[in-house]
Amino acid sequence: MWLIVIAAVLIIAAAALSYAGFFFYGVAIKRAPKEFLASSPDLKLDPPVAGASWGEGAEWVARQHFREVQLRSGDGLELKGYFLASEQAAGRTAIIAHGYSGKGKDMGAIAKLYYERLGYNVLLPDARGHGQSTGNYIGFGWPERHDVVKWIEWVLEETGAEGQIVLHGVSMGGATVLMTAGEPLPVQVKAVIEDCGYSSVKAQLSYQLRRMYRLPGFPFVQCASLVTRIKAGYSFGEASALKQVRKARVPILFIHGDADKFVPFFMMEELYQACSAPKEKLVVHGAGHGLAYDTDKTGYIAKVSSFVGRYVQ
């Protein structure tokens, strides 16, 4: 009798964990509207990770004549991007990565910085599973790192071998460019700027489970990770910006607001300490998630300009 009871309990527990894995996959990973972002006390913004500068950037984007470009990812997805050439660029290009549940043209304020102030070409890709790019899941930067490498190759075909490239990302885009930094990159990639990226997918989702659902990371993150491995081809444990920055050789500027409660500030310190490449950091006091630019626009522009100016000729 006890064996039957134990077996029944185990079956029920396994079914519950399986349900939890598929549920959290649907909430966080599957391509679908992310209503939970609107209910977060730290992200009452539309679109997510956007302050007053989003309106400024959207107006600027609307006035420009971006060329729509596309490429095919290594696993067959059609990726869309938006390219704006500058007559002053001399081969210098910024590839700008957007955040979770966003799209390339949400990054207008950052694009404006590079295009108008620094005289760069700008490329605004839609990440897989976002915007006009295909894909039915979100990779949190891990499969996207290979997509960014593809975009780097596209830019070099466009600008020639003498081109120089800066990668700049915010939130999930920040994690994406950090994960990209750990890959073998062509010498034309001169600098990486990450703004409020997380240390790893596992750490970020565990943190959000505690905050939003009052649940421990284990075993729920592991269950969702298994479902993600089956349905999307990657697991949370491997998707680590922390591991990637240990391998990085390209200079990295880390930016984070010390009032960020969505991607906690301590993650920037972990990433900064792990990075063995040339590095600098900008801590924006009082800035929430994705709001470093809005909170101290003058300081943000000055730091980014001086950093890339050191490595891009």
Side-chain angles (χ1 to χ4, degrees):
M1 177 63 70
W2 283 111
L3 290 177
I4 294 173
V5 171
I6 292 171
V9 169
L10 291 175
I11 290 170
I12 292 170
L17 290 175
S18 177
Y19 172 81
F22 280 94
F23 172 79
F24 288 119
Y25 175 87
V27 168
I29 311 300
K30 183 179 178 181
R31 183 174 192 166
K34 303 301 181 186
E35 290 88 353
F36 72 91
L37 292 174
S39 64
S40 169
D42 308 313
L43 285 182
K44 290 185 177 179
L45 301 166
D46 185 18
V49 192
S53 64
W54 184 83
E56 168 200 335
E59 292 174 2
W60 181 82
V61 165
R63 295 195 303 268
Q64 310 308 315
H65 299 287
F66 281 86
R67 172 158 60 101
E68 186 172 306
V69 296
Q70 64 184 51
L71 57 78
R72 191 163 295 277
S73 71
D75 53 353
L77 297 178
E78 187 176 277
L79 304 176
K80 293 291 182 68
Y82 310 91
F83 184 73
L84 185 63
S86 168
E87 294 179 356
Q88 306 171 36
R92 298 172 300 175
T93 303
I95 302 175
I96 305 171
H98 65 78
Y100 182 81
S101 195
K103 60 185 184 299
K105 288 186 176 180
D106 289 344
M107 305 304 292
I110 303 300
K112 180 182 178 183
L113 186 167
Y114 281 96
Y115 185 81
E116 292 195 351
R117 185 173 291 266
L118 301 179
Y120 280 44
N121 306 318
V122 292
L123 174 65
L124 309 179
D126 286 341
R128 59 173 58 207
H130 293 76
Q132 298 301 310
S133 292
T134 62
N136 58 10
Y137 67 86
I138 296 170
F140 279 91
W142 189 242
E144 290 88 346
R145 79 195 194 282
H146 293 311
D147 301 338
V148 174
V149 171
K150 287 276 191 181
W151 284 118
I152 291 168
E153 294 170 354
W154 182 90
V155 167
L156 293 178
E157 290 177 3
E158 184 77 15
T159 62
E162 299 304 313
Q164 300 178 86
I165 296 172
V166 171
L167 307 179
H168 191 134
V170 178
S171 191
M172 186 184 83
T176 299
V177 298
L178 288 178
M179 292 176 184
T180 305
E183 297 300 304
L185 297 176
V187 296
Q188 292 91 341
V189 180
K190 300 299 185 181
V192 171
I193 293 88
E194 79 85 19
D195 182 341
C196 65
Y198 38 81
S199 57
S200 72
V201 175
K202 182 179 179 181
Q204 178 63 14
L205 295 183
S206 296
Y207 175 80
Q208 290 302 334
L209 269 178
R210 291 192 298 273
R211 289 186 67 252
M212 298 178 68
Y213 296 96
R214 302 295 188 266
L215 291 173
F218 180 84
F220 299 103
V221 167
Q222 286 73 15
C223 292
S225 180
L226 178 59
V227 175
T228 302
R229 164 62 73 183
I230 294 168
K231 297 178 74 67
Y234 74 97
S235 64
F236 299 159
E238 65 185 326
S240 173
L242 199 61
K243 293 177 182 177
Q244 290 292 93
V245 298
R246 293 191 179 109
K247 300 187 294 181
R249 295 295 176 263
V250 62
I252 301 176
L253 170 61
F254 297 84
I255 302 173
H256 218 109
D258 62 6
D260 191 338
K261 294 182 175 62
F262 197 79
V263 176
F265 176 67
F266 69 78
M267 287 191 178
M268 188 202 74
E269 290 297 337
E270 291 177 343
L271 289 162
Y272 185 82
Q273 293 303 321
C275 179
S276 57
K279 60 189 176 182
E280 294 182 28
K281 61 182 174 180
L282 172 64
V283 176
V284 180
H285 299 294
H289 186 61
L291 298 177
Y293 179 88
D294 280 311
T295 302
D296 183 8
K297 187 180 296 187
T298 299
Y300 193 106
I301 291 173
K303 186 67 174 181
V304 169
S305 300
S306 66
F307 185 80
V308 299
R310 188 169 298 116
Y311 298 104
V312 180
Q313 304 306 313

